[in-house]
Amino acid sequence: MTEAADAADVVIAGGGIGGLTTALSLHAVGIRPLVLEASREISPLGVGINLQPPAVRELDELGLSGELAAIGVPAVAHVFADRNGTALFSEPRGTAAGYRWPQYSVHRGELQMMLLRTVRERIGPDTVRTGVQVEDFTQTPDAVHVHALDRVGGREVRFGTPVLVAADGIHSRLRARLHPAQGPLQWSGVTMWRGVTEADAFPPGNALLLAADEKNTQFVAYQISPSALARGRTLINWVCAVPTGDPGPLTADVQWNRAGRVEDVLPHYADWRFDWTHLPDLLAGSEQLLEYPMVDRDPLPSWGDARVTLLGDAAHPGYPSGANGGSQAVLDARVLAYHLATEPDPVKALAAYEADRRDATTAVVLANREMDRVGRTQSLTAPGARHSLEQVTAAYRRAAGEAGALNTRASLTPPNRG
């Protein structure tokens, strides 16, 4: 065992989008971060995600607007359609909805690698240590002692730090340590299959297509690659969301992000017809097919304890209904850095961060649930469906942040730090 005392002002468990944005945000206000990532190598894995305008604003303030524009496709609308691809109605998004900042559809792996490059360039190559699994911690009044496993050397390592941030994802070890009675993840009853396929064209263009049938089988698709568009092609991120069981606690035997089989997906879409693509070919064209349950957790009444706190999916995992998980992690990172920069007492700073973010993220988690509930109980083609969906999407915008509020609120960059 080795002891690395005073390794950093803040140790961050997890090198995903939330953890890396936290590192950049802390560095921008003069706080030294250290990121410990369990994977031996960070690779551009995953599929598409959306960055909502509030998150894009924060990354812009970190000086990353050019990098985002290079890897993201600006989304201008959400188009709701039936199983034949017929548009039923649409809603503007991003700058088309009055935000000063766009909404970007981007490959999650490309975003993570861009953030990783930026962390190493701005802060130093040793800021992110891979192959280090944070497993536990102990606290004294003045410090946190982080207990970790060096997966490469096979030995225990410890880090002394004033603050520990758990950004270790939906299966967070540190959340379980802080909240041992939390129970299992809660399954919505929906199984999701996700993939990315390059194609000739995507008629919805810079819009997100959300199609559903009478059984609430859903299909979501959007473009995620400016470079593919520049070559006259398009890279389409797609999601098949299928009700396959009754909602309830997720059983321990369910595998996460396992390789899916296209033959398991296709029967659910046998009577779907899009005029712009042959759906079986589009699904089969993905080099990787991921299958996992759609889950969340009940919001917590508190996140952390003294000098330890949670961030991102470790704090507030939610359904992907509002395409907001990554964005909420970015906002967490910026608010955390703001409070640590403006409050000298780390315990008070973390309490202020939690007070700012817990209610806000609870509202988003619950809005995701409501959007899913309405989708389950109301067919898009049923009488009154448009009104119901317009109501629930308007409520979601209020929870996630409307254009006027975002455009006029004060910056999260502390004074004299910009």
Side-chain angles (χ1 to χ4, degrees):
M1 179 182 70
T2 61
E3 175 78 19
D6 302 319
D9 298 320
V10 177
V11 168
I12 304 161
I17 291 168
L20 294 172
T21 305
T22 301
L24 290 171
S25 300
L26 292 171
H27 174 258
V29 296
I31 297 173
R32 296 176 300 159
L34 175 65
V35 180
L36 304 178
E37 166 56 41
S39 301
R40 290 181 172 86
E41 180 180 359
I42 299 177
S43 302
L45 302 176
V47 285
I49 66 167
N50 278 272
L51 285 175
Q52 303 294 334
V56 174
R57 173 180 179 175
E58 298 313 319
L59 293 173
D60 182 11
E61 292 201 18
L62 287 172
L64 295 172
S65 58
E67 288 83 349
L68 283 177
I71 62 173
V73 175
V76 299
H78 284 194
V79 176
F80 296 85
D82 63 17
R83 61 182 174 84
N84 294 314
T86 302
L88 303 174
F89 68 97
S90 67
E91 291 193 333
R93 288 293 188 269
T95 54
Y99 292 93
R100 288 174 53 196
W101 296 268
Q103 173 178 326
Y104 279 118
S105 302
V106 61
H107 191 289
R108 182 194 181 281
E110 288 196 26
L111 175 62
Q112 185 179 13
M113 296 308 291
M114 181 272 283
L115 294 171
L116 177 63
R117 287 193 303 272
T118 307
V119 167
R120 287 173 168 165
E121 289 168 2
R122 293 185 183 180
I123 314 175
D126 296 328
T127 303
V128 179
R129 289 189 53 176
T130 57
V132 180
Q133 171 71 61
V134 176
E135 298 189 321
D136 202 354
F137 65 88
T138 54
Q139 290 198 71
T140 64
D142 299 322
V144 183
H145 300 280
V146 181
H147 305 244
L149 174 66
D150 181 344
R151 299 179 63 206
V152 178
R155 67 187 191 282
E156 183 181 357
V157 290
R158 293 188 182 181
F159 302 86
T161 180
V163 172
L164 171 61
V165 176
D168 51 343
I170 196 168
H171 302 293
S172 171
R173 290 172 179 248
L174 296 181
R175 175 179 171 132
R177 165 73 165 75
L178 289 161
H179 302 279
Q182 67 178 349
L185 289 160
Q186 296 298 306
W187 183 40
S188 65
V190 171
T191 299
M192 305 178 72
W193 289 268
R194 302 193 64 169
V196 175
T197 304
E198 185 169 302
D200 292 327
F202 183 65
N206 284 19
L208 284 78
L209 175 69
L210 300 95
D213 65 10
E214 297 78 7
K215 297 172 289 187
N216 195 35
T217 299
Q218 298 179 356
F219 178 79
V220 179
Y222 50 88
Q223 301 180 124
I224 59 171
S225 173
S227 60
L229 292 171
R231 292 187 283 106
R233 301 278 286 170
T234 180
L235 194 64
I236 301 171
N237 176 85
W238 53 262
V239 185
C240 294
V242 181
T244 57
D246 296 324
L250 190 69
T251 58
D253 60 331
V254 174
Q255 296 183 46
W256 194 265
N257 268 6
R258 68 178 179 182
R261 303 190 311 161
V262 71
E263 53 266 35
D264 293 335
V265 189
L266 291 178
H268 300 287
Y269 297 86
D271 59 350
W272 286 49
R273 298 289 183 271
F274 292 162
D275 60 9
W276 56 272
T277 189
H278 184 237
L279 197 55
D281 288 345
L282 183 72
L283 303 187
S286 178
E287 291 185 4
Q288 183 183 37
L289 180 61
L290 299 177
E291 175 187 344
Y292 53 93
M294 193 169 89
V295 298
D296 71 357
R297 287 191 185 278
D298 290 334
L300 290 167
S302 65
W303 286 354
D305 174 39
R307 294 172 175 270
V308 182
T309 193
L310 304 175
L311 185 144
D313 279 349
H316 43 76
Y319 296 164
S321 310
N324 217 325
S327 296
Q328 293 302 311
V330 170
L331 290 168
D332 286 353
R334 291 280 289 162
V335 172
L336 175 67
Y338 176 87
H339 285 296
L340 285 171
T342 55
E343 169 53 65
D345 183 340
V347 176
K348 292 181 179 179
L350 295 191
Y353 153 71
E354 186 176 318
D356 268 3
R357 292 298 295 155
R358 195 178 68 252
D359 287 349
T361 55
T362 292
V364 171
V365 169
L366 298 180
N368 282 332
R369 284 185 179 178
E370 179 63 10
M371 189 175 292
D372 178 69
R373 186 196 66 79
V374 170
R376 283 173 175 274
T377 58
Q378 181 94 59
S379 167
L380 285 176
T381 58
R386 175 170 181 159
H387 179 67
S388 295
L389 285 168
E390 285 176 340
Q391 283 188 314
V392 76
T393 54
Y396 192 91
R397 285 196 303 275
R398 289 192 294 272
E402 296 187 283
L406 177 67
N407 293 346
T408 57
R409 75 154 168 79
S411 171
L412 291 176
T413 299
N416 304 317
R417 297 285 187 172

